[in-house]
Amino acid sequence: MNINGSFETSLQTGDSALLVMLLLSFVIAVACGIVVYSIFYLSVTSNSQRLGQYLCAGTTKRQMKGLIRREGLLLTALALPASLTLSGLIAYAVTPDGWSWQNFALLCAIASVCGALTVQLSLRKPAAMAAMISPVEAAHSTASDREIKRHGKSSAELSPRRLALISWSVGRRKWLLTTLSLTFSGVLFMTAATWMSSWDDDAYSRQSGFQDNEYHISYLYDHSYPRTYGITEMQIGGHLSPELEADILALPHVAGLRVEHEAVGNVRYQGASFLQSFYPLTREDAEYFELDAQGDNSYDYLAGHDAIFITNSAFSENVNGVNFTPGKAIMLHYFDGEEHTVELEIAAVSEDMVENGDDRPTFCMADTTVRKLWGDMNTASTFYITAEDYAEYGNELEGNLSSLVEQYPDLSLSTLREQTIEDSGAIRQQKQQIYGISALLIIFGIFNLANTVLSSFAVRRREFSVLESLGMEQRQLKSMLRFESLLQIVPSLLLTLTLGTLCGWTLVWWLHRSAAYLEYSFPAAAAALYVLCIAVLPVVLNSGCLRAMERTPLTQRTRCEE
Amino acid sequence: MDIVTVHNLKKYFGRGENQVKALDGVDLAIEKGKFTAIIGASGSGKTTLLNMIGGMDIPDEGEVIVDGVNLRGLKEKELSVFRRSKVGFIYQNFNLVSTLTVKENILFPLSLAGSTPDPVFFEEIVKLLHIEERLNAFPAELSGGGQQRVAIARALIAKPAIILADEPTGNLDSKSGQNVLGLLKLSVETYRQTLVMITHNLELAQMADCVVRIEDGRVRA
């Protein structure tokens, strides 16, 4: 029986991908919540006069809360169709084969409910704040009427920097909120960027048996037309011979060659029959004898009883529908030119396995047993060849090896280069997904910052005009706004870079245990891009707002009510 | 000696049938050290005239010369410098900076210019306007009259060539209004300042040395 690739994968991965997606969705929902909270908090605080007027006109606190909630529902209703359509298009673009209208409709329903809930939960506090506004505020018409709580003494020197600091000190809650949301999305972005920058494409492909080598020569076994004893008939032909080994070692730029052995037989156990390879253990294979196993997995016992040791037992048990128990026996049919049948004791069973990176059999027996059963038959199954300087001489050596292998119709050459090409599609797809998430996160950060800058400017438009009317130059106004932006951005960037680096490192460290191709690397380019975007955005927006503001005559601006 | 000369000043808002002639050829001279009141109905153009004199708005035609400075052709930066050095503004709605204390609001024009305040003059002004006890308070903590007294102190602190007041008592009750105007008049007399004030109130206008009436964008008397 040949194992179907997808079936094998399904047995190995379980629900971890789904759990990761759920976790990611939760994190994004929290980020959205912070942004929504921030928008409504700023909206309520900057519209306290208008909301106060509603209360003056007889609006109850309950109605005021309802008003804010309805604004939230309107926001949800406007955003959902666009976001669901966009997400559907992206999903289809990423995996066209996986598209299902039924699943999409289900996800739309779930996303709509989650989105509406997130918005409603996020605006609970702003709605409560709106309900607490005193109707007296409606009577206030000027900026100077607003009560200010600020620490620190009066200062005779009021430079643009000092003014920025004063503005910061009176709006610390807003500052904290923006810093928090900006840092949150920034940390997520840095974590995703670290994941990408830590991804080593070469190491990813090398994990498929190419850890310390670049070429495999093995028997050309076609799983579509299985033979009763697997590669045994080809092993009898003996083309993976010491002579071929010597020929390969004589080629230029060959740094080393390792020969892997295995013997194949047909196992019958608990009514199941399956083709199985056996790895011949020597006394030196200490890592096998150190595995946590049921039964006796010592070399002496295995050799003394001609018994077998089954590692990674759960996999074979699931595939074949059996349950391996130490002390019981398997029936092995094997071939060495003639067919034989032998009963072998299961000496030990372990759920663990030795990770050597090769596709080594999980069923083992002592080398002495292999010799007893298969005699002098050449059990070499694969040659692992290492190039002297792969980057420099890899192509040349591959050409020479191909020429050599072509002489043997039952041998095949697989290379790291082919593996890299084969993996590139999967890598591209995974990276596209991470790129997409990163882009989403950076857009979050930018959107949130833009919202803060624009709403803050809109609220303070009249204040800036008054400052101008008193003789403040554009240069001084710009300098003040620039310094305010610095006060907003620098702490957030410091926090983002510190926590983002820490989170990225932790994620890579955690994933490295199961994904050795991830080696921590600081995402310098992504971090620089993020810093640039976040640093430049307020300057650009403030400049644009100032230019737009200047189009209205100063007299009109100083008169206008907020 | 005239500190302000306005010649053929025109300012139109809107176009075509909707065009409003806020100022339609105003000629005016204001004498230095005098208190001039500008009166007129709503929409007569008095605030527009005041804004033109203060460099807050740009005329369509004509010229304004304040203390020897012709405002025509001044760039935005030069207008800013003009406003903070030559003009002290007092607005109907005070226009104090809510985040600054009373002291900071008063000293703000000097800070913008990078000038060091004269402590003796500062003490004099705050005592004259009865705000010496509230220097560390914020505008929101003061009454309307209190806020307007701070605005007067702010207008005086840089010893500007002219003080422009746009209905300074408009947001105050009559008692506070009388009190504030009395202090304003006392201040400009004490420091020999030129004061130009817009008002609807003829009773208040009678306190001025000179009254200018504006109607339909033109000076009538």
Side-chain angles (χ1 to χ4, degrees), chain A residues 141-150 152-159 162-163 166-167 170 462-463 466-476 550 553-555 558-559, chain B residues 47 51 55-57 76-77 80-81 83-84 89 91 93-105 107-109 111-113 117 135-136 138-141 147 154 171:
Chain A
S141 59
T142 65
S144 55
D145 281 336
R146 202 177 300 128
E147 196 177 339
I148 297 296
K149 285 178 184 170
R150 182 191 125 199
K153 290 184 177 175
S154 294
S155 168
E157 191 199 341
L158 289 170
S159 62
R162 170 88 185 133
L163 287 170
I166 288 170
S167 177
V170 297
R462 186 163 173 276
E463 180 191 328
V466 169
L467 296 178
E468 267 194 88
S469 74
L470 294 171
M472 193 172 202
E473 296 169 34
Q474 279 266 314
R475 169 183 64 88
Q476 292 171 312
E550 291 304 321
L554 185 56
T555 49
T558 48
R559 259 203 320 271
Chain B
T47 297
N51 287 333
M56 294 270 284
D57 210 346
E76 189 54 50
K77 183 184 172 181
S80 294
V81 174
R83 282 197 295 269
R84 75 182 177 218
F89 279 102
Y91 298 94
N93 56 6
F94 325 129
N95 275 355
L96 298 176
V97 182
S98 60
T99 52
L100 302 182
T101 61
V102 165
K103 186 181 178 183
E104 287 166 341
N105 263 292
L107 295 175
F108 188 61
S111 294
L112 290 174
L135 292 178
N136 286 317
F138 287 97
E141 294 167 343
Q147 290 191 44
R154 183 179 65 185
N171 266 355

